[in-house]
Amino acid sequence: MQWEIVIGLETHVQLSTQSKMFSGASTAFGAAPNTQACAVDVALPGVLPVANRGAVERAIRFGLAVNGNDGANLSRRSIFARKNYFYPDLPKGYQISQFELPIVRGGAVTIVVDGVGKTIRLTRAHLEEDAGKSLHEGLGQMSRGMTGIDLNRAGTPLLEIVSEPDMRSAEEAVAYARALHSLVRWIDICDGNMQEGSFRCDANVSVRPKGSDALGTRREIKNLNSFRFLQQAIEYEAKWQIERIEDGGAIQQATVLFDPDTGETRAMRTKEEAHDYRYFPDPDLLPLAISEQWIDEIRRSMPELPSQKFARFTAGLGIAPATATVLLSDRNLSEYFETAIKDAPAETVRQSANWIAVTTNAKLNERGIGIAQALVNPRQFRELMDRIADGTISGKIAKEVDDAMWAGEGTAGEIIEKRGLRQISDAGALEAIVDQVIAANPKSVEEFRAGKEKAFNALVGQAMKATRGKGNPAQINEILKRKLAG
């Protein structure tokens, strides 16, 4: 039987406020355990929570971003509820969240997989507070086999973003998670640091026979904090469910964990439903009211959105969708690109886009830095692209020049002159070299005239070798074709 995978993601985004969702305690990462949990965070008797205005503003920014700045999907009135459940790292016995009336309803995120665009619908996005953290390791010799509780994260502001079950492969799920990760950083609501838990996903996975419209029983994979783990977990879980059904078993709705060491998922508990949490409006918090004036103020402060830039880059500048997606993975990277191509001709724009998406991006990843720390600024990069465009150097030599620029040897012009890398474009000199190559490679000449195109490439390679890579490839091609046709 042919099977179809159905995936929906619930993404927890830690909002970039300096204080918590309902208290003034710090959200700074890395503090000693239990030094940033105040009386409000653990709901000691007599305390009252107060909603963080900065967190609400960031939720509004997200709502505008996923609805094209329209704002129609923003709830002008939303309610905080108590979600009741017991965990050791939730000492007050409930989490303040939003249930029936979330701050954001609907919206969409566009992804590109294998050059094909797809829209992933959002169900909702709601504000809530995080719980604390159970520590099972690193407690010292005296605490073996024990668990410690760190409440520093308790009360940290989260925006939980829930998608519709629109994804049909692990690749689509990763593309969606990456697009969402880029978006929340783009609009400055989250730092996106997955190692610190600022961005983590729960994947709801089910399978069904191809062609069926019915949804299968889902299992939720919790707390995936890397794109690689997200892909591995979904692929394993889907395979496990298919094999279980084909063996005559049934899928029970459950919450599962992914073990990166084994690459497997394992059941943690049966999956709770909404009624299990006994939601009710928090009696200590008034309904959250958002004015049109506030929405308009936030709308005016919004940057150009990735979806808008994507349309401009692809339709307006002729950049391939896959390349545009890389450029838009980081707001600073897209701004670097736009600064570098200002007033550039179309061919230089496209060459710059490809170079930054592939070569520059690889250098950044190798060094573990962002474009803001790049050793080549946009003006210096543009000079390199201009030297390719005016024929001073070839694309191949440009890679050598780029490496030298990143090594701090100077500008493109300085390196070209110092290393003697100017492209040979003198027609007479190139003709003499081509004549020598033809004379030295009669077999390749014969094969080309017999219809073997690969032989022509071999001759071009010999000519480029003779010029030590500095011959103008276009001229060499033209001269070779003319002489071999004679």
Side-chain angles (χ1 to χ4, degrees):
M1 183 182 289
Q2 292 291 308
W3 296 93
E4 181 177 61
I5 307 170
V6 179
I7 305 160
L9 292 189
E10 298 173 12
T11 306
H12 292 86
V13 171
Q14 180 177 327
L15 299 173
S16 56
T17 57
Q18 293 185 346
S19 57
K20 293 185 179 178
M21 186 66 232
F22 300 107
S23 80
S26 173
T27 58
F29 181 80
N34 299 306
T35 58
Q36 293 180 173
C38 72
V40 175
D41 302 328
V42 296
L44 292 181
V47 299
L48 285 174
V50 178
N52 185 327
R53 181 182 176 89
V56 176
E57 179 181 331
R58 284 160 176 78
I60 295 171
R61 288 173 73 84
F62 178 79
L64 291 170
V66 296
N67 208 45
N69 257 343
D70 180 84
N73 61 334
L74 287 167
S75 298
R76 273 47 175 185
R77 181 179 182 274
S78 58
I79 291 175
F80 287 108
R82 289 187 180 181
K83 179 181 181 181
N84 296 273
Y85 62 101
F86 172 79
Y87 278 112
D89 51 16
L90 192 70
K92 60 188 181 185
Y94 62 87
Q95 175 191 32
I96 302 177
S97 183
Q98 292 183 320
F99 179 50
E100 292 176 315
L101 294 175
I103 190 168
V104 178
R105 295 163 297 153
V109 172
T110 300
I111 63 172
V112 177
V113 177
D114 296 331
V116 179
K118 181 174 180 176
T119 297
I120 307 300
R121 297 169 298 155
L122 302 183
T123 308
R124 58 189 277 147
H126 59 265
L127 286 162
E128 64 183 23
E129 61 177 350
D130 205 352
K133 186 177 182 180
S134 297
L135 305 174
H136 307 292
E137 298 173 354
L139 299 176
Q141 288 291 106
M142 300 297 293
S143 303
R144 284 185 177 176
M146 297 178 65
T147 292
I149 303 296
D150 179 7
L151 297 175
N152 281 349
R153 287 194 68 89
T156 298
L158 300 177
L159 186 68
E160 180 173 346
I161 303 160
V162 183
S163 82
E164 290 288 314
D166 287 347
M167 291 155 273
R168 297 293 176 267
S169 68
E171 290 77 16
E172 286 188 0
V174 170
Y176 164 79
R178 286 187 181 278
L180 204 59
H181 185 255
S182 173
L183 179 62
V184 297
R185 289 181 297 130
W186 190 287
I187 59 176
D188 293 325
I189 69 170
C190 174
D191 63 21
N193 193 319
M194 299 180 80
Q195 290 75 26
E196 295 180 2
S198 297
F199 186 96
R200 54 194 195 271
C201 299
D202 301 338
N204 289 291
V205 180
S206 64
V207 298
R208 65 186 179 189
K210 278 214 165 173
S212 172
D213 292 328
L215 292 174
T217 302
R218 63 189 169 91
R219 302 213 312 169
E220 183 183 25
I221 313 169
K222 296 290 287 186
N223 291 329
L224 298 164
N225 65 349
S226 87
F227 301 123
R228 182 165 58 89
F229 292 165
L230 176 63
Q231 177 149 354
Q232 290 174 350
I234 291 172
E235 288 174 346
Y236 177 85
E237 177 64 25
K239 180 173 177 288
W240 180 88
Q241 290 188 25
I242 291 168
E243 289 176 351
R244 184 170 180 83
I245 295 170
E246 289 182 343
D247 288 343
I251 304 300
Q252 182 182 18
Q253 189 166 314
T255 298
V256 304
L257 294 176
F258 175 68
D259 186 341
D261 294 329
T262 63
E264 298 176 350
T265 57
R266 56 181 174 82
M268 183 168 65
R269 60 180 184 269
T270 57
K271 175 65 179 169
E272 299 87 350
E273 298 289 358
H275 62 261
D276 294 324
Y277 292 119
R278 305 187 316 281
Y279 282 98
F280 63 86
D282 192 301
D284 293 333
L285 287 161
L286 292 170
L288 178 61
I290 300 172
S291 69
E292 296 298 330
Q293 180 184 355
W294 194 15
I295 294 172
D296 287 340
E297 287 174 4
I298 295 171
R299 183 186 286 113
R300 287 194 294 272
S301 73
M302 293 281 283
E304 184 182 17
L305 297 172
S307 57
Q308 296 164 335
K309 277 201 178 190
F310 183 86
R312 185 160 57 79
F313 283 8
T314 53
L317 300 179
I319 298 170
T323 302
T325 299
V326 175
L327 295 175
L328 295 171
S329 64
D330 180 82
R331 185 172 161 188
N332 290 331
L333 190 67
S334 74
E335 290 173 355
Y336 179 100
F337 166 68
E338 293 205 84
T339 301
I341 64 161
K342 187 177 180 182
D343 300 323
E347 185 53 39
T348 298
V349 170
R350 286 190 289 273
Q351 174 135 12
S352 298
N354 293 333
W355 193 287
I356 292 171
V358 179
T359 307
T360 303
N361 210 35
K363 283 183 163 64
L364 296 174
N365 291 334
E366 286 168 9
R367 291 164 173 78
I369 60 174
I371 194 67
Q373 290 80 46
L375 303 179
V376 176
N377 64 40
R379 177 183 54 78
Q380 294 167 330
F381 174 79
R382 171 63 178 276
E383 182 189 355
L384 177 64
M385 295 297 102
D386 286 343
R387 297 295 76 79
I388 299 173
D390 64 19
T392 301
I393 55 174
S394 65
K396 183 177 180 180
I397 293 297
K399 289 188 181 346
E400 179 183 339
V401 176
D402 188 43
D403 289 341
M405 290 168 69
W406 278 78
E409 293 185 25
T411 65
E414 291 168 348
I415 294 164
I416 291 166
E417 296 306 321
K418 182 169 62 177
R419 295 194 178 190
L421 298 175
R422 279 186 173 274
Q423 187 166 252
I424 300 171
S425 298
D426 179 84
L430 291 177
E431 286 218 20
I433 290 168
V434 169
D435 287 340
Q436 293 170 13
V437 169
I438 289 173
N441 296 276
K443 185 178 179 183
S444 292
V445 171
E446 185 181 333
E447 288 176 350
F448 172 73
R449 286 175 172 159
K452 292 184 178 178
E453 284 296 323
K454 285 185 178 179
F456 181 81
N457 295 334
L459 292 167
V460 171
Q462 288 298 315
M464 290 301 294
K465 184 178 179 181
T467 64
R468 290 186 296 175
K470 294 189 287 184
N472 186 312
Q475 282 184 270
I476 289 175
N477 271 264
E478 187 274 323
I479 294 169
L480 255 176
K481 285 178 181 175
R482 173 162 48 83
K483 288 187 173 288
L484 291 173

